[in-house]
């Protein structure tokens, strides 16, 4: 059973920065893509950023230029650096991993979520 543990959320003022971390643990063959998604109250979960095992990245237009996703494959950890945060970035942020198990089948794993609140 693979688990994802997120950290780094919190309360930050507009214009501030946060760095989210997502660490995967458990028995797995490898992790393909990893990503961050967010869900604000009353809204559907939406993509923030993804990164492949080869470090190709993709960003939502709303965060492009303000956020950077990265990963450390040796640590099975992904990061999301968010700068110039805005109140509309307030949401629960979820980490996702495309895990390949020992049976060589890919499946999705989600973290428990970490709250990011941008407010003065």
């Amino acid at each position: 059973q693979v688990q994802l543990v997120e950290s780094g959320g919190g309360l930050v003022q507009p214009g501030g920065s946060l760095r989210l971390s997502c660490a995967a643990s458990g028995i797995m063959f490898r992790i393909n893509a990893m990503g961050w998604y967010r869900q604000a109250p009353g809204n559907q979960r939406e993509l923030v950023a993804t990164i492949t095992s080869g470090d190709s990245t993709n960003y939502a237009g709303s965060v492009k230029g303000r956020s950077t996703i990265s990963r450390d494959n040796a640590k099975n950890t992904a990061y999301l650096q968010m700068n110039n945060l805005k109140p509309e970035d307030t949401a629960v942020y979820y980490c996702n991993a495309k895990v390949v198990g020992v049976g060589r089948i890919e499946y999705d794993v989600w973290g428990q979520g970490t709250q990011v609140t941008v407010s003065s």
Side-chain angles (χ1 to χ4, degrees), residues 3 5 10 25 28 32 34-35 38 41-42 47-48 56 58-60 84 97-98 109 112 114-115 119:
Q3 291 184 325
V5 178
S25 63
M28 69 195 91
N32 288 338
M34 298 186 77
R38 67 187 181 186
L47 178 145
V48 178
S56 293
N58 179 52
Y59 296 92
N84 190 22
K98 307 287 188 186
V109 180
Q112 80 285 356
T114 185
Q115 177 71 45
S119 175

Side-chain angles (χ1 to χ4, degrees), residues 58-71:
N58 179 52
Y59 296 92
S62 58
V63 303
K64 202 168 188 177
R66 301 188 294 121
S67 299
T68 302
I69 188 170
S70 60
R71 63 191 285 176

Side-chain angles (χ1 to χ4, degrees), residues 19 36 51 55 57 59 68-72 77-80:
R19 188 192 195 210
W36 289 93
I51 183 168
D55 289 338
T57 58
Y59 296 92
T68 302
I69 188 170
S70 60
R71 63 191 285 176
D72 183 334
T77 299
Y79 307 94
L80 182 68

